[in-house]
């Protein structure tokens, strides 16, 4: 079974930071894949821009290399690639001074085509670029602006950024990307909850004991020294990806899949999160930083050695979050994310309550609570753990097995990268999978007091050996409550 490709209207895609890492690794490959899938209508153009002086031809060579480096060889069709390269253009422009924006204007020409401005640049430049777009008369009714995180480093700076962009673009034109929302299984979470009768009646504190959300990585700092050391795991992963996942698990059924209907429900969850204050932070949160160890099969340096300087930035965070509303009161959400952990896995575990009473004797074995494990990556799929009778004669013995739905086995199709879906949604003007201003700000309102409590309590990042599951206090965080982290393999 193949999914239906619905072509989008012709568009101009203007990538600021067009020669940068994001354009190279994600945007150009994603656009190529959508063209190959037959989703473009003509004439569609892609204009790369950055400060570097470069000809159109040189930019096409840059894109050719980006695609050959980041798209599987079997998916590179020479004819498709040439068609793709022919739609690329390049204009040098300086985001600070505004030099070159008139050339962008000329390149775009007069047209009422959909126009996407993609900000693959540091957030400090968003405001300047938006201003130059305005003064050069580039902003039109059919325009959208796409911004990447970090959207601020706290509530105040997020507001400033949102104000800057908001002075030139209307909210319905602003697409704040959280690439986790473009992942196939993340959207499947909505299908699982709202396209089945099975789970929703049980999806509350009467039947669910707790929820775990883990986003574990094996990579370390990579080449993002400047950014990461200023951000840390709480800002880099928890404020956005983890809270977005929490929202999708916890939100009420939206009235429709319309952007605002979904985002209104997510916002209510964010606003219901119990604030963690200075006194509570040491027992509700854990900060960690990796030390030298072994990861992904080899010896690796500790964070500070990689960084080349002393730092107290956390590379791991675990939080016991609570949602103060009727559905979730008393159901903890244990969240954890970190770099250089034992394995790369992102998953959500919904643990149901124990049965109230067992009719089986002691010989039947232990009856475990049902778990629903939603695996976001790798090996996307859903497992529903249930108790069954151990097959064979000889009395009633019980066993825990998983009803296993691995998506790779069920669907033969290529699993598109999150950016492919998100970029096409931008062109279509569909904001369902993008964060609204109030969502971003509500997330910071919950994160800021944690950051503040850490500073106030001088809560140090505890060392953990690379290749493990984080500091021992992260294990204690959940075990104190008589629960354990799901063992992800
Ligand atoms: C990014 C973070 O948003 O997400 C990175 O800034 C992190 O630190 C990355 O590595 C993880 O994304 P994915 O899709 O590889 O899970």
């Amino acid at each position: 079974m193949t999914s239906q490709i619905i072509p989008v209207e012709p568009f101009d895609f203007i990538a600021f930071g067009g020669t940068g890492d994001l354009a190279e690794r994600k945007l150009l490959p994603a656009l190529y894949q959508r063209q190959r899938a037959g989703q473009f209508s003509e004439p569609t153009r892609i204009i790369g821009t950055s400060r570097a002086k470069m000809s159109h031809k040189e930019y096409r060579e840059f894109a050719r290399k980006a695609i050959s480096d980041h798209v599987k060889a079997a998916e590179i069709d020479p004819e498709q690639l040439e068609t793709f390269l022919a739609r690329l253009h390049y204009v040098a422009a300086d985001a600070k001074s505004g030099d070159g924006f008139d050339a962008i204007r000329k390149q775009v020409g007069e047209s009422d085509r959909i126009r996407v401005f993609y900000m693959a640049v540091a957030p400090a430049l968003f405001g300047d670029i938006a201003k130059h777009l305005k003064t050069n008369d580039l902003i039109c009714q059919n325009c959208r602006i796409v911004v990447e995180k970090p959207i601020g480093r706290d509530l105040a700076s997020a507001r400033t950024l949102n104000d800057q962009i908001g002075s030139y673009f209307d909210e319905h034109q602003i697409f704040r990307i959280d690439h986790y929302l473009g992942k196939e299984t993340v959207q499947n979470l909505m299908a699982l909850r709202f396209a089945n009768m099975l789970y929703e009646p049980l999806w509350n504190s009467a039947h669910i004991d707790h929820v775990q959300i883990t986003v574990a990585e094996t990579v370390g700092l990579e080449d993002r020294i400047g950014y990461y050391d200023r951000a840390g795991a709480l800002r880099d992963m928890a404020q956005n990806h983890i809270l977005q996942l929490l929202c999708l698990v916890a939100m009420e059924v939206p009235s429709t899949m319309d952007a605002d209907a979904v985002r209104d429900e997510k916002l209510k969850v964010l606003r219901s999160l119990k604030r963690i204050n200075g006194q509570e932070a040491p027992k509700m949160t854990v900060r960690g930083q990796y030390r030298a160890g072994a990861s992904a099969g080899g010896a690796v340096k500790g964070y500070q050695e990689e960084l080349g300087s002393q730092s107290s930035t956390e590379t791991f965070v675990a939080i016991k979050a609570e949602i103060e509303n009727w559905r979730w009161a008393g159901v903890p959400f244990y969240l954890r994310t970190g770099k250089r952990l034992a394995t790369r896995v992102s998953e959500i575990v919904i643990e149901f309550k124990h049965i109230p009473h067992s009719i089986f004797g002691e010989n039947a074995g232990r009856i475990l609570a049902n778990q629903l494990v939603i695996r976001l990556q790798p090996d996307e799929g859903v497992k529903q753990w249930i108790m069954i009778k151990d097959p064979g004669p000889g009395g009633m013995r019980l066993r825990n097995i998983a009803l296993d739905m691995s998506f790779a086995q069920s669907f033969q199709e290529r699993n598109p990268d999150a950016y492919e879906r998100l970029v096409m949604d931008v062109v279509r003007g569909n904001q369902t999978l993008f964060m609204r201003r109030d969502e971003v700000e509500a997330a910071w309102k919950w994160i800021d007091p944690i950051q503040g409590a850490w500073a106030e309590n001088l809560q140090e990042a505890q060392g953990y050996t690379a290749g493990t599951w984080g500091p021992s206090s992260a294990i204690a965080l959940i075990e104190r409550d008589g629960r354990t982290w799901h063992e992800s393999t």
Side-chain angles (χ1 to χ4, degrees), residues 368-371 383-388 399-403:
L368 302 180
N370 298 134
Q371 281 185 335
K383 279 187 188 169
Q384 173 63 71
W385 287 87
I386 54 163
M387 297 302 301
I388 59 152
R399 192 161 111 189
N400 195 28
I401 65 146
L403 300 176

Side-chain angles (χ1 to χ4, degrees), residues 95-115:
K96 278 262 159 234
S97 67
D99 289 350
F101 277 68
D102 50 344
I104 301 179
R105 178 85 189 86
K106 267 198 212 112
Q107 184 70 54
V108 170
E110 291 303 325
S111 98
D112 53 4
R113 258 199 299 269
I114 294 166
R115 199 176 289 167

Side-chain angles (χ1 to χ4, degrees), residues 27 95 113 138 153 252 291 298 341 371 383 402 408 416 439:
L27 300 179
R113 258 199 299 269
L138 274 152
R153 51 178 286 105
E252 295 300 319
R291 306 283 185 250
L341 296 184
Q371 281 185 335
K383 279 187 188 169
E439 271 184 89

